[in-house]
């Protein structure tokens, strides 16, 4: 026991050591009893600053400490300083994960919570950018954790400048190392900007700095210590920084063909984005259905004064916390920050929306299995069809709780009729459909044979989706993933092989010096160890990337189905027959309008491609050959006697999803079949249209529409 506790070899040496220890205890007691805490004094100045105490838009502050005892001490003093215990929240490693998530969520949403005092248990991949002020009361020995902590607030989407205070006792060995490190980083920042902080995430750098801190304490009497610090920090922060940043700049090295293909995939993905207005209308209706209260505040922002217990009870282990009230929420990320007030974004995947969806599905999910009967008010045909709703998932080789990790999931739709004719109705086709009245439902049940709309039809639709929807989806994800993985591996391999060669060569040089009787600052064994570490890292990284490449294309699963009755069939059953010449006039008008708009697109230098007649959302996909940007053109042709045209809800959805790329082209088609139609374009025609999620179309007055239109753009 004695040998493990002291380096003394004799009783006299032990007595001398005890004398020194007693002096250290006396000094510690005097510091503790003095009541002076320089760190707290500095922190108190931050808390008392006018910016933090602005009552109109109170700033939030995060304080990190290394130890739970320090955390309790700081939290108590901060609460006393603020005069409100509820203003201070704490997170430490002794709390369950669910508790930590609840505190993090409350800190983001509750206006009363002003200060979060935490250990690194709050730094585990969590977005805390509701705050823009942070204090490291204790500095971790691993500088990577400084970057991880700061990354909770300093990340994409943070609109305010972020400030970080590191409380360092500069007249200590630890302070000496950190000061040197920060000086070197600041020196490099002059050349690389804020990207320099990315290098702190490199694991071999962290190992070196950990060694530096240990040697700062063990070898403080070694005259070679200062030069050792300089050598290691210079070799890590300097030459390797450019290589680390190069590895992470993945897009820069893509080939032209790869870039064009991925850009085209991204353009198509834009057209499938779920719009904030649709989420908003659903959420508000569902919340009020269960007795919740949501009130409009600033433009695009709301206050939720009550989230019903029925919704809060839906929170699962992986959902996150849902609170009883929210100071500000928004459905559009452009309204998240107004001044210094941040709103919680309600979007797919966020805890509150997930809880609302789970509650609706729990109460009404059985309707998906029962199916529904809907009418397509814009379809003049007389052939009913079955809409089949499928869920397609793609996974890779990485595992989460023994399950392959989901890397892409897409809802897909297929429509099939009694003749087994199958078509792709596009994304969200249900937006165009409406429920039948009781009278219409009785007519359909009495006069329309629906026996074909069964499991066989669903299976046929699913088989068609496997080849025509699931496979293209998989090919898209595979193209992006494999291109990215190949680029990352090339950068990783190039950099690590360079490091291996460097340290192999350095080990040989040091070994030769040692054999010649010299004592280099860094011995050959340490250099060889570093080379081996780089080899191990390269193998490990290659295996990780191989798992990301290992994509699995699961067959789509059927979620629900609905019978779609065209308006033309209902009109026929109700005795309302369309005049044949009017149907013919409409088809000819559409054909002439399409031809005129296609010619217009070519005249302005784009490459238009006419879409299938039933393509949802737009009639022409037009590509700019220079920029590769896709433009979505919806064509509306009209005769001189036409008072109005209707734009389907699905087309409005497409327009609001791609406001900069979607165009409404209106073509004035003359009665003279030999005369060419005149074309005008409208950009962002539905910017201020508040479309309800149950609305199927928007009527537009032709005269006013024509006056608003302009030159093709």
């Amino acid at each position: 026991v004695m040998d493990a506790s002291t380096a003394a070899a004799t009783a006299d040496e032990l007595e001398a050591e005890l004398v020194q220890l007693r002096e250290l205890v006396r000094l510690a007691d005097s510091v503790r009893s003095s009541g002076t805490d320089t760190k707290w004094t500095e922190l108190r100045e931050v808390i008392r600053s006018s910016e933090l105490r602005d009552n109109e838009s109170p700033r939030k502050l995060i304080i990190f400490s290394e130890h739970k005892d320090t955390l309790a001490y700081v939290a108590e003093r901060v609460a006393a300083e603020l005069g409100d215990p509820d203003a201070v929240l704490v997170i430490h490693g002794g709390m369950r994960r669910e508790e930590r998530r609840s505190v993090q969520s409350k800190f983001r949403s509750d206006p009363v919570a002003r200060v979060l005092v935490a250990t690194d248990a709050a730094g585990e991949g969590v977005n805390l950018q509701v705050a823009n002020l942070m204090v490291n009361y204790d500095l971790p020995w691993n500088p990577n954790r400084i970057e991880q902590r700061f990354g909770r607030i300093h990340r994409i989407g943070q609109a305010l400048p972020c400030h970080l205070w590191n409380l360092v006792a500069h007249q200590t060995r630890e302070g000496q190392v950190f000061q040197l490190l920060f000086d070197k980083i600041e020196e490099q920042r002059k050349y690389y900007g804020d990207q320099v902080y990315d290098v702190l995430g490199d694991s071999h750098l962290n190992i070196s700095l950990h060694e530096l801190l240990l040697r700062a304490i063990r070898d403080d009497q070694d005259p070679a210590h200062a030069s050792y610090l300089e050598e290691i920090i210079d070799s890590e922060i300097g030459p390797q920084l450019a290589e680390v940043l190069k590895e992470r700049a993945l897009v820069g090295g893509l080939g032209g063909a790869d870039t064009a293909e991925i850009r085209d995939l991204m353009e198509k993905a834009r057209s499938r984005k779920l719009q904030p207005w649709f989420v908003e209308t659903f959420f508000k209706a569902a919340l009020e259905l269960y007795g919740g209260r949501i009130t409009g505040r600033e433009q695009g922002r709301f206050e939720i004064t009550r989230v019903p217990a029925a919704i809060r009870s839906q929170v699962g282990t992986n959902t996150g916390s849902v609170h009883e009230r929210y100071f500000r929420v928004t459905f559009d990320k452009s309204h998240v920050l107004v001044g210094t007030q941040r709103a919680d974004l309600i979007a797919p995947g966020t805890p509150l929306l997930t809880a609302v969806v789970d509650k609706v599905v729990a109460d009404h999910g059985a309707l998906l299995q029962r199916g529904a009967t809907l009418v397509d008010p814009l379809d003049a045909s007389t052939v009913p069809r079955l809409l089949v709703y499928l869920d397609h998932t793609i996974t890779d080789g990485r595992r989460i709780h023994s399950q392959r990790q989901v890397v892409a999931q897409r809802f897909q739709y297929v429509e099939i009729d009694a003749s087994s004719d199958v078509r792709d109705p596009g994304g969200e086709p249900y937006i165009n459909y409406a429920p039948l009245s009781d009278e219409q439902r009785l007519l359909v049940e009495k006069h329309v044979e629906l026996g074909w709309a069964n499991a066989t039809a669903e299976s046929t639709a699913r088989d068609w989706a496997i080849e025509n929807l699931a496979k293209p989806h998989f090919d898209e994800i595979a193209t992006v993933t494999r291109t990215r993985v190949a680029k990352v591996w090339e950068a990783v391999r190039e950099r690590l092989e360079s490091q291996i060669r460097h340290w192999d060569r350095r080990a040989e040089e040091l070994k030769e010096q040692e054999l010649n009787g010299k004592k280099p600052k860094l011995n050959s064994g340490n250099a060889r160890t570093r080379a081996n570490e780089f080899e191990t890292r390269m193998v490990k990284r290659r295996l990780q990337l191989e798992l990301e490449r290992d994509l699995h294309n699961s067959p789509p699963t059927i979620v629900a189905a609905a019978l779609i009755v065209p308006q033309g069939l209902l009109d026929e059953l109700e005795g309302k027959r369309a005049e044949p010449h009017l149907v013919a006039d409409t088809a000819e008008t559409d054909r002439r309008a399409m031809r005129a708009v296609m010619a217009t697109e070519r005249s302005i230098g784009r490459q238009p491609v006419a879409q299938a007649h039933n393509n949802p959302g737009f009639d022409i996909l037009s590509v700019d050959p220079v920029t590769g940007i896709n433009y979505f053109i919806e064509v509306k042709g009209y005769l001189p006697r036409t008072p109005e045209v209707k734009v389907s809800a699905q087309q409005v959805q497409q327009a609001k999803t791609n406001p900069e790329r979607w165009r409404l082209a209106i073509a004035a088609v003359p009665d003279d079949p030999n005369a060419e139609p005149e074309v005008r374009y409208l950009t962002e025609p539905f910017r201020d249209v508040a479309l309800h999620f149950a609305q199927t179309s928007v009527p537009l007055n032709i005269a006013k529409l024509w006056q608003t239109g302009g030159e093709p753009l």
Side-chain angles (χ1 to χ4, degrees):
V1 172
M2 289 293 292
D3 286 344
S5 303
T6 179
T10 67
D12 290 339
E13 290 179 358
L14 180 61
E15 181 60 33
E17 187 174 315
L18 289 174
V19 170
Q20 290 181 328
L21 288 174
R22 291 189 189 102
E23 177 62 13
L24 290 174
V25 170
R26 187 192 66 78
L27 288 172
D29 284 339
S30 66
V31 170
R32 185 169 186 175
S33 60
S34 69
T36 302
D37 182 352
T38 306
K39 279 190 175 183
W40 165 248
T41 302
E42 296 294 330
L43 176 60
R44 184 176 58 195
E45 292 304 312
V46 176
I47 295 173
R48 289 180 176 179
S49 65
S50 59
E51 290 82 359
L52 194 66
R53 286 184 172 271
D54 186 349
N55 291 326
E56 292 185 3
S57 56
R59 299 293 182 89
K60 298 200 175 193
L61 171 69
I62 301 173
I63 303 171
F64 275 105
S65 78
E66 281 289 280
H67 310 288
K68 185 178 176 182
D69 288 344
T70 308
L71 177 145
Y73 164 77
V74 172
E76 181 180 355
R77 301 203 71 164
V78 172
E81 177 68 26
L82 296 177
D84 183 3
D86 293 334
V88 181
L89 300 175
V90 299
I91 292 178
H92 54 78
M95 301 169 64
R96 296 196 308 272
R97 183 176 294 273
E98 293 75 17
E99 292 180 283
R100 298 202 299 266
R101 287 178 175 172
S102 179
V103 172
Q104 290 160 354
S105 180
K106 186 174 183 180
F107 181 66
R108 289 194 299 266
S109 305
D110 193 337
V112 175
R114 302 273 298 280
V115 178
L116 175 65
V117 187
T119 62
D120 280 319
E124 299 171 353
V126 180
N127 183 349
L128 294 172
Q129 63 184 192
V130 66
N132 70 312
L133 308 176
M134 180 178 290
V135 173
N136 277 317
Y137 198 84
D138 302 314
L139 274 177
W141 275 29
N142 184 337
N144 183 37
R145 285 159 56 196
I146 300 178
E147 188 267 343
Q148 288 174 340
R149 290 175 177 180
F150 199 42
R152 301 309 101 225
I153 64 172
H154 187 262
R155 58 198 295 156
I156 293 174
Q158 173 63 272
L160 295 174
C162 293
H163 302 276
L164 171 65
W165 290 265
N166 292 316
L167 303 185
V168 181
H170 66 282
Q171 293 180 347
T172 64
R173 303 302 177 219
E174 180 185 45
Q176 174 194 5
V177 174
F178 274 111
Q179 188 59 54
L180 180 59
L181 169 65
F182 294 147
D183 288 345
K184 292 297 180 183
I185 290 178
E186 181 61 25
E187 180 182 322
Q188 293 296 321
R189 195 177 69 85
K190 295 176 182 178
Y191 298 97
Y192 297 105
D194 288 342
Q195 293 183 82
V196 71
Y197 297 105
D198 290 346
V199 78
L200 293 177
D202 192 76
S203 62
H204 72 274
L205 171 60
N206 300 328
I207 295 172
S208 298
L209 292 172
H210 183 69
E211 293 173 356
L212 290 180
L213 289 167
L214 291 176
R215 290 194 60 164
I217 296 171
R218 289 200 309 258
D219 304 334
D220 60 311
Q221 302 300 322
D222 185 352
H225 177 59
S227 59
Y228 173 79
L229 293 179
E230 291 281 353
E231 177 183 347
I232 295 298
I233 290 182
D234 277 344
S235 67
E236 299 288 4
I237 298 296
Q240 293 182 26
L241 176 58
E243 297 177 5
V244 174
L245 296 179
K246 180 182 177 181
E247 174 183 328
R248 300 182 183 190
L250 302 180
V251 177
L254 294 178
D258 292 332
T259 303
E261 184 175 6
I262 292 175
R263 181 174 58 190
D264 183 59
L265 294 176
M266 293 176 66
E267 288 287 325
K268 292 177 180 177
R270 287 169 59 92
S271 66
R272 291 189 291 267
K273 185 173 63 176
L274 189 62
Q275 277 299 292
W277 65 266
F278 195 85
V279 176
E280 177 184 338
T281 51
F282 162 77
F283 177 85
K284 291 163 71 174
L287 184 69
E288 292 168 359
L289 173 66
Y290 292 105
R293 291 191 295 270
I294 181 169
T295 306
R297 294 304 184 201
E298 304 86 10
Q299 181 180 2
R301 291 157 63 96
F302 305 86
E303 180 181 6
I304 299 178
T305 55
R306 181 174 184 268
V307 178
I311 291 176
R312 286 184 278 124
S313 65
Q314 293 295 318
V315 177
T317 56
N318 296 318
T319 303
S321 299
V322 174
H323 307 291
E324 187 174 354
R325 63 184 64 87
Y326 289 80
F327 177 64
R328 289 292 185 273
V329 298
T330 184
F331 301 91
D332 190 332
K333 63 182 180 182
S334 64
H335 298 305
V336 166
L337 192 68
V338 174
T340 58
Q341 288 188 348
R342 181 172 292 275
D344 283 303
L345 179 65
I346 299 180
T350 56
L352 182 54
L353 181 60
T354 299
V356 170
V357 171
D358 288 348
K359 178 60 177 173
V360 172
V361 171
D363 292 349
H364 307 288
L367 293 175
L368 292 174
Q369 302 301 320
R370 289 170 50 191
T373 304
L374 304 172
V375 59
D376 183 352
L378 301 180
D379 186 355
S381 74
T382 59
V383 180
R385 56 191 185 272
L386 186 68
L387 170 66
V388 182
Y389 162 35
L390 306 111
D391 180 6
H392 181 230
T393 300
I394 298 171
T395 59
D396 66 17
R398 293 171 294 176
R399 301 276 176 170
I400 298 180
H401 304 303
S402 301
Q403 301 293 322
R404 292 176 67 98
Q405 181 169 317
V406 175
V407 295
Q409 186 174 19
R410 181 179 295 174
F411 297 140
Q412 298 172 334
Y413 303 88
V414 175
E415 289 188 344
I416 183 171
D417 61 21
S419 301
S420 295
D421 288 335
V422 184
R423 75 182 186 103
D424 175 11
E428 301 94 30
Y430 49 80
I431 294 178
N432 289 342
Y433 305 151
L436 276 69
S437 66
D438 292 338
E439 294 79 8
Q440 291 172 333
R441 191 179 305 279
L442 289 173
L443 278 174
V444 171
E445 292 176 354
K446 182 177 181 180
H447 298 287
V448 180
E449 169 57 41
L450 301 177
W452 60 271
N454 52 27
T456 300
E458 291 182 359
S459 179
T460 302
R462 178 177 177 273
D463 292 342
W464 185 89
I466 290 174
E467 182 63 29
N468 296 276
L469 298 180
K471 185 178 182 300
H473 180 208
F474 179 80
D475 292 342
E476 289 178 19
I477 301 302
T479 297
V480 174
T481 300
R482 289 165 184 165
T483 301
R484 175 183 58 81
V485 168
K487 172 58 183 174
V488 171
W489 169 242
E490 180 62 25
V492 169
R493 184 190 59 78
E494 179 181 345
R495 186 168 68 88
L496 294 183
E497 285 183 349
S498 173
Q499 291 296 328
I500 293 169
R501 288 193 298 269
H502 167 77
W503 287 106
D504 278 342
R505 184 171 60 253
R506 188 79 174 114
E508 294 298 328
E509 293 172 352
L510 293 170
K511 185 65 175 177
E512 184 175 351
Q513 293 176 21
E514 291 167 354
L515 292 175
N516 292 331
K518 297 181 180 180
K519 295 182 178 180
K521 291 173 290 185
L522 183 68
N523 65 52
S524 61
N526 287 340
R528 180 67 64 192
T529 298
R530 291 177 66 78
N532 294 338
E533 288 172 354
F534 281 116
E535 289 181 347
T536 301
R537 288 182 60 218
M538 187 165 66
V539 172
K540 182 178 179 181
R541 194 74 175 99
R542 180 178 61 79
L543 293 176
Q544 290 174 338
L545 292 172
E546 284 299 319
L547 291 176
E548 293 183 41
R549 279 179 53 92
D550 181 22
L551 298 177
H552 177 67
N553 188 14
S554 303
T557 58
I558 297 175
V559 179
L563 180 69
I564 310 303
V565 180
Q567 185 64 48
L569 178 58
L570 286 179
D571 291 342
E572 182 178 276
L573 295 176
E574 294 172 347
K576 303 174 185 177
R577 295 183 177 275
E579 297 296 331
H581 69 278
L582 294 179
V583 176
D585 285 350
T586 300
E588 178 62 16
T589 300
D590 291 345
R591 186 189 64 79
R592 293 173 63 187
M594 278 287 293
R595 185 177 62 189
V597 175
M598 292 279 286
T600 300
E601 283 294 300
R602 294 190 189 96
S603 70
I604 61 176
R606 291 202 287 254
Q607 300 170 346
V609 178
Q611 305 299 289
H613 176 69
N614 55 10
N615 185 69
F618 56 94
D619 294 312
I620 297 172
L621 176 63
S622 194
V623 181
D624 186 321
V626 177
T627 65
I629 293 176
N630 292 343
Y631 291 88
F632 308 96
I633 317 295
E634 175 60 29
V635 180
K636 294 295 180 185
Y638 70 93
L639 296 170
R641 52 190 170 276
T642 305
E644 70 175 25
V645 294
K646 288 185 177 181
V647 179
S648 72
Q650 199 170 13
Q651 292 162 351
V652 174
Q653 159 84 331
Q654 184 70 248
K656 293 172 79 69
T657 300
N658 303 279
E660 304 88 359
R661 314 286 179 82
W662 196 89
R663 303 285 186 268
L664 178 60
I666 49 176
V669 181
D671 287 324
D672 182 358
N674 297 316
E676 289 298 321
E678 184 179 353
V679 176
R680 290 187 179 181
Y681 278 35
L682 288 91
T683 58
E684 299 190 50
F686 306 109
R687 178 192 302 173
D688 301 320
V689 174
L691 187 66
H692 191 273
F693 73 88
Q695 191 173 350
T696 60
S697 64
V698 175
L700 300 174
N701 180 272
I702 283 294
K704 294 181 179 179
L705 198 64
W706 185 257
Q707 293 174 358
T708 309
E711 293 297 318
L713 181 63

mmCIF file of all heavy atoms in Angstrom, residues 6 12 14 16 41 128 190 214 228 230 233 255 274 321 359 521 552 555 639 710:
data_model
loop_
_atom_site.group_PDB
_atom_site.id
_atom_site.type_symbol
_atom_site.label_atom_id
_atom_site.label_comp_id
_atom_site.label_asym_id
_atom_site.label_seq_id
_atom_site.Cartn_x
_atom_site.Cartn_y
_atom_site.Cartn_z
ATOM 1 N N THR A 6 3.377 6.481 -2.270
ATOM 2 C CA THR A 6 4.460 7.441 -2.101
ATOM 3 C C THR A 6 5.702 6.973 -2.840
ATOM 4 O O THR A 6 5.892 5.781 -3.089
ATOM 5 C CB THR A 6 4.805 7.628 -0.610
ATOM 6 O OG1 THR A 6 5.892 8.561 -0.500
ATOM 7 C CG2 THR A 6 5.223 6.316 0.018
ATOM 8 N N ASP A 12 12.861 9.164 6.605
ATOM 9 C CA ASP A 12 13.133 10.602 6.534
ATOM 10 C C ASP A 12 12.489 11.230 5.292
ATOM 11 O O ASP A 12 11.915 12.325 5.345
ATOM 12 C CB ASP A 12 14.650 10.843 6.517
ATOM 13 C CG ASP A 12 15.305 10.523 7.862
ATOM 14 O OD1 ASP A 12 14.563 10.506 8.871
ATOM 15 O OD2 ASP A 12 16.535 10.297 7.892
ATOM 16 N N LEU A 14 9.882 10.096 3.764
ATOM 17 C CA LEU A 14 8.440 10.074 3.984
ATOM 18 C C LEU A 14 8.013 11.256 4.851
ATOM 19 O O LEU A 14 7.003 11.908 4.594
ATOM 20 C CB LEU A 14 8.018 8.747 4.636
ATOM 21 C CG LEU A 14 6.514 8.599 4.930
ATOM 22 C CD1 LEU A 14 5.707 8.672 3.638
ATOM 23 C CD2 LEU A 14 6.245 7.254 5.617
ATOM 24 N N ALA A 16 9.537 14.124 5.146
ATOM 25 C CA ALA A 16 9.651 15.338 4.329
ATOM 26 C C ALA A 16 8.444 15.487 3.391
ATOM 27 O O ALA A 16 7.927 16.592 3.177
ATOM 28 C CB ALA A 16 10.958 15.298 3.528
ATOM 29 N N THR A 41 -16.307 35.044 -9.890
ATOM 30 C CA THR A 41 -16.356 36.491 -10.088
ATOM 31 C C THR A 41 -16.460 36.827 -11.576
ATOM 32 O O THR A 41 -17.256 37.685 -11.990
ATOM 33 C CB THR A 41 -15.105 37.154 -9.484
ATOM 34 O OG1 THR A 41 -15.037 36.835 -8.087
ATOM 35 C CG2 THR A 41 -15.154 38.662 -9.657
ATOM 36 N N LEU A 128 -28.697 22.989 -29.104
ATOM 37 C CA LEU A 128 -29.094 23.932 -28.058
ATOM 38 C C LEU A 128 -28.918 25.366 -28.550
ATOM 39 O O LEU A 128 -28.614 26.264 -27.774
ATOM 40 C CB LEU A 128 -28.268 23.700 -26.793
ATOM 41 C CG LEU A 128 -28.491 22.360 -26.077
ATOM 42 C CD1 LEU A 128 -27.480 22.189 -24.955
ATOM 43 C CD2 LEU A 128 -29.908 22.239 -25.545
ATOM 44 N N LYS A 190 -6.150 32.846 -39.105
ATOM 45 C CA LYS A 190 -5.940 33.972 -40.003
ATOM 46 C C LYS A 190 -5.951 33.517 -41.460
ATOM 47 O O LYS A 190 -6.281 34.285 -42.359
ATOM 48 C CB LYS A 190 -4.610 34.649 -39.675
ATOM 49 C CG LYS A 190 -4.568 35.295 -38.284
ATOM 50 C CD LYS A 190 -3.183 35.866 -37.994
ATOM 51 C CE LYS A 190 -3.124 36.453 -36.590
ATOM 52 N NZ LYS A 190 -1.758 36.977 -36.262
ATOM 53 N N LEU A 214 -0.604 15.701 -19.847
ATOM 54 C CA LEU A 214 0.023 14.841 -18.843
ATOM 55 C C LEU A 214 1.498 15.221 -18.647
ATOM 56 O O LEU A 214 1.993 15.322 -17.520
ATOM 57 C CB LEU A 214 -0.104 13.375 -19.262
ATOM 58 C CG LEU A 214 -1.517 12.782 -19.222
ATOM 59 C CD1 LEU A 214 -1.504 11.355 -19.755
ATOM 60 C CD2 LEU A 214 -2.065 12.786 -17.802
ATOM 61 N N TYR A 228 9.256 20.381 -26.882
ATOM 62 C CA TYR A 228 8.388 19.238 -27.203
ATOM 63 C C TYR A 228 6.973 19.722 -27.512
ATOM 64 O O TYR A 228 6.335 19.290 -28.473
ATOM 65 C CB TYR A 228 8.391 18.256 -26.036
ATOM 66 C CG TYR A 228 7.403 17.105 -26.188
ATOM 67 C CD1 TYR A 228 7.701 16.021 -27.007
ATOM 68 C CD2 TYR A 228 6.185 17.121 -25.524
ATOM 69 C CE1 TYR A 228 6.816 14.973 -27.150
ATOM 70 C CE2 TYR A 228 5.290 16.081 -25.658
ATOM 71 C CZ TYR A 228 5.600 15.006 -26.466
ATOM 72 O OH TYR A 228 4.712 13.976 -26.618
ATOM 73 N N GLU A 230 6.065 22.658 -28.582
ATOM 74 C CA GLU A 230 6.082 23.357 -29.860
ATOM 75 C C GLU A 230 6.067 22.374 -31.023
ATOM 76 O O GLU A 230 5.343 22.530 -31.992
ATOM 77 C CB GLU A 230 7.331 24.243 -29.943
ATOM 78 C CG GLU A 230 7.332 25.436 -29.006
ATOM 79 C CD GLU A 230 6.492 26.578 -29.544
ATOM 80 O OE1 GLU A 230 6.028 26.475 -30.693
ATOM 81 O OE2 GLU A 230 6.300 27.560 -28.814
ATOM 82 N N ILE A 233 2.499 20.429 -31.260
ATOM 83 C CA ILE A 233 1.390 21.304 -31.641
ATOM 84 C C ILE A 233 1.598 21.849 -33.045
ATOM 85 O O ILE A 233 0.660 21.920 -33.844
ATOM 86 C CB ILE A 233 1.219 22.440 -30.609
ATOM 87 C CG1 ILE A 233 0.680 21.852 -29.296
ATOM 88 C CG2 ILE A 233 0.263 23.503 -31.121
ATOM 89 C CD1 ILE A 233 0.426 22.878 -28.203
ATOM 90 N N GLY A 255 -16.318 14.552 -59.888
ATOM 91 C CA GLY A 255 -16.183 14.750 -61.313
ATOM 92 C C GLY A 255 -17.381 15.472 -61.889
ATOM 93 O O GLY A 255 -18.440 15.555 -61.274
ATOM 94 N N LEU A 274 -42.278 18.182 -48.357
ATOM 95 C CA LEU A 274 -43.548 18.471 -47.701
ATOM 96 C C LEU A 274 -43.553 19.924 -47.264
ATOM 97 O O LEU A 274 -42.638 20.388 -46.592
ATOM 98 C CB LEU A 274 -43.747 17.552 -46.491
ATOM 99 C CG LEU A 274 -45.126 17.585 -45.828
ATOM 100 C CD1 LEU A 274 -46.193 17.132 -46.801
ATOM 101 C CD2 LEU A 274 -45.129 16.701 -44.586
ATOM 102 N N SER A 321 -39.126 15.083 -25.634
ATOM 103 C CA SER A 321 -40.051 15.658 -24.670
ATOM 104 C C SER A 321 -41.088 16.542 -25.354
ATOM 105 O O SER A 321 -40.778 17.263 -26.309
ATOM 106 C CB SER A 321 -39.286 16.481 -23.633
ATOM 107 O OG SER A 321 -38.380 15.662 -22.926
ATOM 108 N N LYS A 359 -50.983 10.295 -31.943
ATOM 109 C CA LYS A 359 -52.317 10.301 -31.336
ATOM 110 C C LYS A 359 -53.399 10.117 -32.396
ATOM 111 O O LYS A 359 -54.344 9.338 -32.205
ATOM 112 C CB LYS A 359 -52.531 11.616 -30.582
ATOM 113 C CG LYS A 359 -53.918 11.763 -29.951
ATOM 114 C CD LYS A 359 -54.201 10.649 -28.948
ATOM 115 C CE LYS A 359 -55.564 10.848 -28.280
ATOM 116 N NZ LYS A 359 -55.936 9.680 -27.432
ATOM 117 N N LYS A 521 14.109 14.287 -28.404
ATOM 118 C CA LYS A 521 12.959 14.669 -27.576
ATOM 119 C C LYS A 521 11.819 13.659 -27.714
ATOM 120 O O LYS A 521 11.081 13.409 -26.765
ATOM 121 C CB LYS A 521 12.481 16.065 -27.987
ATOM 122 C CG LYS A 521 13.459 17.177 -27.621
ATOM 123 C CD LYS A 521 13.037 18.513 -28.179
ATOM 124 C CE LYS A 521 13.181 18.556 -29.690
ATOM 125 N NZ LYS A 521 12.871 19.903 -30.233
ATOM 126 N N HIS A 552 -29.383 -1.808 -48.800
ATOM 127 C CA HIS A 552 -30.365 -2.882 -48.982
ATOM 128 C C HIS A 552 -31.689 -2.270 -49.420
ATOM 129 O O HIS A 552 -32.220 -1.363 -48.763
ATOM 130 C CB HIS A 552 -30.563 -3.650 -47.681
ATOM 131 C CG HIS A 552 -31.618 -4.721 -47.776
ATOM 132 N ND1 HIS A 552 -31.471 -5.838 -48.563
ATOM 133 C CD2 HIS A 552 -32.833 -4.821 -47.185
ATOM 134 C CE1 HIS A 552 -32.550 -6.594 -48.453
ATOM 135 N NE2 HIS A 552 -33.398 -5.996 -47.627
ATOM 136 N N PRO A 555 -38.451 -4.342 -50.271
ATOM 137 C CA PRO A 555 -39.649 -4.174 -51.097
ATOM 138 C C PRO A 555 -40.645 -3.258 -50.398
ATOM 139 O O PRO A 555 -40.747 -3.261 -49.170
ATOM 140 C CB PRO A 555 -40.193 -5.600 -51.229
ATOM 141 C CG PRO A 555 -39.622 -6.336 -50.068
ATOM 142 C CD PRO A 555 -38.291 -5.725 -49.789
ATOM 143 N N LEU A 639 -60.007 29.263 -74.277
ATOM 144 C CA LEU A 639 -60.639 29.861 -75.442
ATOM 145 C C LEU A 639 -61.176 31.244 -75.072
ATOM 146 O O LEU A 639 -61.325 31.561 -73.877
ATOM 147 C CB LEU A 639 -61.764 28.966 -75.937
ATOM 148 C CG LEU A 639 -61.332 27.574 -76.446
ATOM 149 C CD1 LEU A 639 -62.545 26.689 -76.670
ATOM 150 C CD2 LEU A 639 -60.515 27.702 -77.727
ATOM 151 N N GLY A 710 -46.787 37.924 -67.547
ATOM 152 C CA GLY A 710 -45.740 38.692 -68.203
ATOM 153 C C GLY A 710 -44.958 37.853 -69.184
ATOM 154 O O GLY A 710 -45.386 36.768 -69.586
#
